[in-house]
């Protein structure tokens, strides 16, 4: 069973379109995250939800809107896609506090290409 | 903002050799974690060291943490070709334990 699963794995779309990426975790974690990895492999946090409540909201264009219907799901909706949104988006989950030693569990990523 | 800076950016060694990667950070942390990313894959958590710990081992991995110097190192002993990957350090900050990643070290282990 996949612990953190994201769909779709690949997404190619035209500028101006609206798209969503879905994420689900079956680990019973209470916190989920969205990260963006650019072409230079730099990972930057975008959002985090703890038990459906937004706890981290980095400086991200408001075209990006996360939604957490329950603590096992965190979706990312992107409006009016731009070329610069092309990247790999990773979902992750964890149990807080992390000092128990487990760290984050990442999904396999969604490669978004805007043309 | 970026927190961890790994050094070197790229490292190429022969199988059987040890690989050492370093990470420096700027602010106080709750803990520091190391992750591995194989090409085209997600990140895999390797090891977590708390801010009050100085050294931790897991299999062939050894992590040290020096909070006075705000630095950490990851040592992989007896490397294997399968260890070829990018390695990232990440610092957990604040109550939300936001993980802030460095740029990573690309390790190549030649058979």
């Amino acid at each position: 069973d996949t612990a953190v699963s994201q769909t779709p794995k690949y997404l190619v779309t035209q500028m101006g379109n609206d798209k969503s990426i879905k994420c689900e975790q079956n680990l019973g974690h209470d916190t989920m995250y969205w990260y963006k990895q650019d072409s230079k492999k730099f990972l930057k946090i975008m959002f985090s939800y703890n038990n459906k409540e937004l706890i981290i909201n980095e400086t991200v264009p408001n075209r990006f809107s996360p939604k957490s219907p329950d603590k096992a799901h965190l979706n990312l909706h992107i409006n009016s896609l731009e070329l610069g949104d092309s990247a790999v988006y990773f979902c992750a989950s964890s149990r807080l506090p992390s000092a128990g030693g487990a760290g984050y569990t990442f999904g396999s990523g969604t490669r978004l290409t805007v043309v | 903002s970026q927190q961890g800076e790994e050094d070197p950016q790229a490292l190429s060694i022969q199988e059987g050799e040890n690989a050492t990667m370093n990470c420096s950070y700027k602010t106080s942390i709750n803990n520091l974690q190391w992750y591995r990313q194989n090409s085209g894959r997600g990140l895999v958590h390797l090891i977590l060291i708390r801010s009050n710990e100085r050294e931790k081992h897991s299999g062939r991995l050894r992590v040290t943490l020096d909070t006075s110097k705000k630095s950490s190192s990851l040592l992989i002993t007896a490397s294997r070709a399968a260890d070829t990957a990018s390695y990232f350090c990440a610092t957990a900050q604040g109550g939300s334990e936001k993980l802030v990643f460095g740029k990573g070290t690309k390790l190549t282990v030649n058979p």
Side-chain angles (χ1 to χ4, degrees):
Chain A
D1 284 342
T2 305
V4 179
S5 60
Q6 296 178 228
T7 54
K9 192 171 174 60
Y10 300 97
L11 186 52
V12 181
T13 187
Q14 291 189 325
M15 272 196 309
N17 283 352
D18 302 339
K19 289 294 177 186
S20 292
I21 306 171
K22 295 187 175 183
C23 180
E24 176 181 3
Q25 56 97 2
N26 62 5
L27 297 166
H29 288 165
D30 46 18
T31 310
M32 296 184 72
Y33 312 82
W34 278 111
Y35 276 81
K36 178 181 179 180
Q37 187 172 44
D38 63 22
S39 57
K40 295 184 179 178
K41 304 298 182 189
F42 178 51
L43 276 149
K44 187 168 163 45
I45 190 166
M46 301 173 70
F47 302 104
S48 174
Y49 273 76
N50 179 264
N51 280 320
K52 301 193 297 177
E53 186 178 335
L54 183 66
I55 59 170
I56 297 174
N57 186 354
E58 293 291 290
T59 307
V60 175
N62 57 15
R63 298 181 294 105
F64 290 78
S65 54
K67 281 192 173 54
S68 181
D70 56 59
K71 74 172 194 177
H73 296 83
L74 180 61
N75 304 323
L76 183 65
H77 187 75
I78 315 171
N79 288 327
S80 304
L81 278 154
E82 301 177 356
L83 292 177
D85 297 332
S86 296
V88 182
Y89 292 84
F90 286 100
C91 176
S93 71
S94 74
R95 197 180 300 279
L96 289 184
S98 63
Y104 286 18
T105 302
F106 279 82
S108 55
T110 295
R111 183 174 293 276
L112 172 65
T113 304
V114 183
V115 297
Chain B
S1 63
Q2 187 181 336
Q3 170 77 308
E5 291 274 354
E6 285 92 340
D7 168 52
Q9 289 187 358
L11 180 61
S12 181
I13 59 174
Q14 295 299 121
E15 220 168 13
E17 294 181 341
N18 295 341
T20 300
M21 287 159 268
N22 302 299
C23 169
S24 59
Y25 58 93
K26 296 174 184 170
T27 63
S28 62
I29 61 173
N30 299 346
N31 61 68
L32 186 144
Q33 304 177 29
W34 285 90
Y35 287 79
R36 183 186 74 231
Q37 185 179 32
N38 290 87
S39 182
R41 308 293 294 272
L43 285 86
V44 174
H45 177 256
L46 295 176
I47 197 164
L48 179 154
I49 186 165
R50 300 183 184 89
S51 59
N52 61 354
E53 295 177 315
R54 292 296 165 257
E55 188 170 313
K56 205 157 182 183
H57 297 254
S58 176
R60 294 184 295 114
L61 305 180
R62 174 179 169 253
V63 168
T64 61
L65 178 64
D66 186 334
T67 52
S68 66
K69 295 181 179 177
K70 292 187 169 59
S71 67
S72 173
S73 67
L74 171 68
L75 168 67
I76 304 174
T77 59
S79 63
R80 305 167 182 167
D83 294 328
T84 295
S86 291
Y87 291 82
F88 295 86
C89 75
T91 51
Q93 305 165 32
S96 64
E97 296 200 9
K98 176 174 75 172
L99 262 195
V100 180
F101 284 82
K103 291 181 180 177
T105 292
K106 185 168 183 175
L107 173 67
T108 303
V109 181
N110 300 300

